[in-house]
Amino acid sequence: KQEVTQIPAALSVPEGENLVLNCSFTDSAIYNLQWFRQDPGKGLTSLLLIQSSQREQTSGRLNASLDKSSGRSTLYIAASQPGDSATYLCAVSPHNNDMRFGAGTRLTVKP
Amino acid sequence: SAVISQKPSRDICQRGTSLTIQCQVDSQVTMMFWYRQQPGQSLTLIATANQGSEATYESGFVIDKFPISRPNLTFSTLTVSNMSPEDSSIYLCSVRAPSEKLFFGSGTQLSVL
C-alpha cells in the first residue's frame, strides 16, 4: 500500500527566504505526483503536476522535482512571501485514478 | 481546468440526522472522487463515483453510511447518514481534468453535535 510522508510537518521562515518542502513515497510505481496548497478551512488548489516520466515542473516561484527511483519529490519556493502561508500537500497517483495524500507541511512566512 | 461548485460550504447538524453534499462541475467528467479530511489530518478517499454505475468505496467506508449518487457527468451527491460527532470533518469532491490535474471543490465543513 502506498504511503506518503511529508517532512517537516511545520515550517516557519522569514519573508524572502528560499525554502524546500519534502515528500517521500514508498511505492515508486506511480502514475504522477501533484502538489497542492490548502488554506485553512478551504479546499485544495493544484500547484504543480509531475508525470512519472518527468523530472521537474516549474510555475513562477515554484519548482517541483521528482526522483521516482528514490521515492522522493521536493517543492522549492523561491523568495517566500507572507501570502505563501498555507498547508502544502503532496499526493501520488498509483494509476490514473485516485490519489494518496501526505499529511502536509504547514508553512508560515513571517513579514 | 475544472471549476467545481460544492454546497453547502458548512453546516452544523444534530446527531442521528443526515446531510447531503452536492458537487456541480462545469464540464463532463468520467470519475468524481469524494474525500474526507478529519481535523488536523490529511485527505482520505471515501469513494469513486462513476456515472451510470455504483460507486466504489474504499476500505472502511460503506454505502449505507455514505450513499453516493451520480446521475450525470457533471453532478454528484454524497450523503453522510445517521451522523455522529466522529463524522465532523471537511468533505471534498474532486475531479480529474484532461490535463490529469486533480481539482477540488471548496469543501463542506461539517460539525455534528
Side-chain angles (χ1 to χ4, degrees):
Chain A
K1 182 183 172 185
Q2 180 73 270
E3 301 285 343
V4 182
T5 304
Q6 291 188 247
I7 295 173
L11 180 64
S12 181
V13 300
E15 181 177 4
E17 265 201 18
N18 302 324
L19 58 101
V20 175
L21 308 181
N22 296 292
C23 172
S24 61
F25 45 95
T26 54
D27 186 351
S28 62
I30 65 171
Y31 188 77
N32 58 40
L33 181 147
Q34 196 164 348
W35 282 92
F36 296 88
R37 169 192 172 130
Q38 185 176 30
D39 293 286
K42 301 289 180 65
L44 279 68
T45 300
S46 176
L47 297 174
L48 291 164
L49 170 74
I50 309 178
Q51 300 290 357
S52 63
S53 58
Q54 297 175 324
R55 299 282 295 183
E56 66 176 345
Q57 283 287 327
T58 298
S59 176
R61 295 183 293 110
L62 306 179
N63 176 274
S65 69
L66 173 63
D67 185 343
K68 212 172 60 163
S69 61
S70 67
R72 296 177 187 274
S73 176
T74 61
L75 179 67
Y76 175 82
I77 302 177
S80 58
Q81 304 170 357
D84 294 331
S85 298
T87 296
Y88 290 81
L89 295 159
C90 162
V92 297
S93 185
H95 41 71
N96 190 17
N97 200 336
D98 68 284
M99 303 198 83
R100 305 290 168 173
F101 285 80
T105 294
R106 190 173 67 253
L107 173 65
T108 302
V109 181
K110 297 173 290 186
Chain B
S1 66
V3 177
I4 305 173
S5 173
Q6 182 173 345
K7 57 182 181 182
S9 59
R10 61 175 59 234
D11 207 341
I12 301 173
C13 300
Q14 296 296 320
R15 182 195 298 260
T17 62
S18 298
L19 175 72
T20 295
I21 302 167
Q22 300 180 1
C23 274
Q24 178 77 50
V25 189
D26 68 343
S27 57
Q28 293 184 339
V29 292
T30 305
M31 289 186 289
M32 293 182 72
F33 307 100
W34 287 97
Y35 286 87
R36 180 176 73 181
Q37 186 176 30
Q38 293 178 302
Q41 302 197 19
S42 191
L43 280 72
T44 301
L45 182 67
I46 297 172
T48 301
N50 294 313
Q51 193 268 335
S53 63
E54 278 202 10
T56 303
Y57 288 82
E58 295 298 303
S59 175
F61 298 96
V62 295
I63 188 171
D64 290 345
K65 177 67 175 176
F66 297 102
I68 288 171
S69 79
R70 185 80 203 275
N72 57 53
L73 291 173
T74 63
F75 187 79
S76 179
T77 68
L78 169 76
T79 298
V80 186
S81 303
N82 188 25
M83 289 184 285
S84 67
E86 292 71 34
D87 294 321
S88 298
S89 293
I90 298 174
Y91 292 85
L92 298 133
C93 63
S94 71
V95 301
R96 188 181 296 278
S99 66
E100 298 184 3
K101 281 188 174 181
L102 205 63
F103 290 90
F104 283 82
S106 54
T108 296
Q109 192 154 9
L110 171 62
S111 298
V112 184
L113 305 178

